[in-house]
Amino acid sequence: MLHFFHHPLSPYSRKIFFLLEEAGHPYDLRTVSLEKKEQKDSSYLVLNPAGRVPAIKDGDFALSESNAILRYLTRKYQLHQFYPTAVEEQAQVDMWWDFCSNHINRPLIDLAWNKIMAPRYGGKPDAAVIAKAEKNLERDLPVLEKQLQGRNYLVTADLSLADINLMPFAIYAKDVIRLDDFPAFKAWINRVEERQAWKNVVSYSGH
Ligand SMILES: N[C@@H](CCC(=O)N[C@@H](CS)C(=O)NCC(=O)O)C(=O)O
């Protein structure tokens, strides 16, 4: 049995959650309370030496880092529809996966943290971080928008790991940018939101 250690509001955990729900792969869900700092318990550090969620334990095999887990699951359980085996096609998935991780996900979470979560949880928004994130998105969102024009999904005809990597961060865009300026990105978010697997992820956390 695959044990999946997560926190419901962690976007990195949600990537794994989304893939497992899409694949219909059976798993045992274990919530790690970040509020109680359970991610730093010695029993958990065996699974993830960095003391973060997510992590998995598949039989005797433990693995952390969300991207490594996504690749492991698709290879181990032959979920090739999400990560094509043809070298060039897989490289395209890798390219958009890396582009979004480096240039879209990071600034979106920085904006979400500073514009929404910090005020909500009594933290202090950092104006410099907000300015840098907005500048970076101004430069890189048009690149994503262009890629999504005329496509349903980022690379392949259906959902791939490139989309799965983006979605848990993309949902913040609704609250932190003017999404109407990016109609293809907005349509992609709406399309992914309609997938039952994503609805399952969201209904679990209630957000
Ligand atoms: N690079 C890691 C990032 C994981 C990460 O940052 N997880 C956060 C939750 S979203 C966490 O566990 N934070 C708790 C901590 O750092 O103590 C991955 O891709 O899995």
Side-chain angles (χ1 to χ4, degrees):
M1 172 57 88
L2 175 76
H3 303 285
F4 167 38
F5 298 81
H6 84 129
H7 184 280
L9 295 181
S10 152
Y12 298 95
S13 298
R14 283 178 150 196
K15 295 197 246 176
I16 314 305
F17 211 159
F18 192 14
L19 175 64
L20 290 170
E21 286 293 321
E22 279 287 342
H25 188 86
Y27 60 96
D28 160 48
L29 190 63
R30 306 268 180 100
T31 301
V32 178
S33 169
L34 301 184
E35 297 78 10
K36 293 183 189 158
K37 296 262 177 246
E38 284 176 357
Q39 76 276 22
K40 308 297 182 199
D41 285 355
S42 53
S43 58
Y44 183 76
L45 291 174
V46 176
L47 303 174
N48 184 342
R52 298 190 180 104
V53 287
I56 60 165
K57 191 157 190 294
D58 196 12
D60 289 335
F61 181 67
L63 192 66
S64 54
E65 283 299 321
S66 58
N67 293 342
I69 297 171
L70 290 178
R71 276 191 282 267
Y72 165 80
L73 291 172
T74 53
R75 288 173 182 149
K76 176 85 179 179
Y77 297 104
Q78 305 194 352
L79 306 173
H80 303 309
Q81 67 273 34
F82 302 106
Y83 197 43
T85 49
V87 173
E88 290 79 5
E89 209 181 356
Q90 188 178 102
Q92 286 289 315
V93 171
D94 284 337
M95 180 201 144
W96 285 103
W97 183 348
D98 287 356
F99 174 81
C100 291
S101 288
N102 293 328
H103 305 298
I104 306 292
N105 293 359
R106 186 71 252 170
L108 280 178
I109 201 166
D110 282 346
L111 288 184
W113 176 256
N114 284 284
K115 284 185 159 182
I116 302 171
M117 297 168 207
R120 190 180 296 163
Y121 298 113
K124 196 171 175 305
D126 187 327
V129 171
I130 292 175
K132 187 172 174 212
E134 284 178 340
K135 190 159 172 264
N136 287 343
L137 284 175
E138 202 178 302
R139 183 192 60 200
D140 290 317
L141 266 179
V143 179
L144 177 65
E145 175 71 11
K146 191 160 175 233
Q147 173 68 7
L148 286 170
Q149 280 164 0
R151 289 172 190 273
N152 286 336
Y153 294 97
L154 256 171
V155 181
T156 47
D158 207 336
L159 197 86
S160 75
L161 292 188
D163 303 282
I164 287 174
N165 173 62
L166 175 61
M167 185 59 177
F169 298 85
I171 48 163
Y172 299 132
K174 291 167 138 191
D175 299 316
V176 299
I177 63 163
R178 282 215 323 261
L179 203 47
D180 285 340
D181 292 349
F182 302 96
F185 184 35
K186 184 178 176 179
W188 175 89
I189 293 176
N190 292 338
R191 194 172 298 120
V192 180
E193 277 190 313
E194 283 308 307
R195 296 182 77 101
Q196 189 56 49
W198 181 255
K199 288 182 182 171
N200 295 347
V201 173
V202 173
S203 74
Y204 185 84
S205 64
H207 287 77

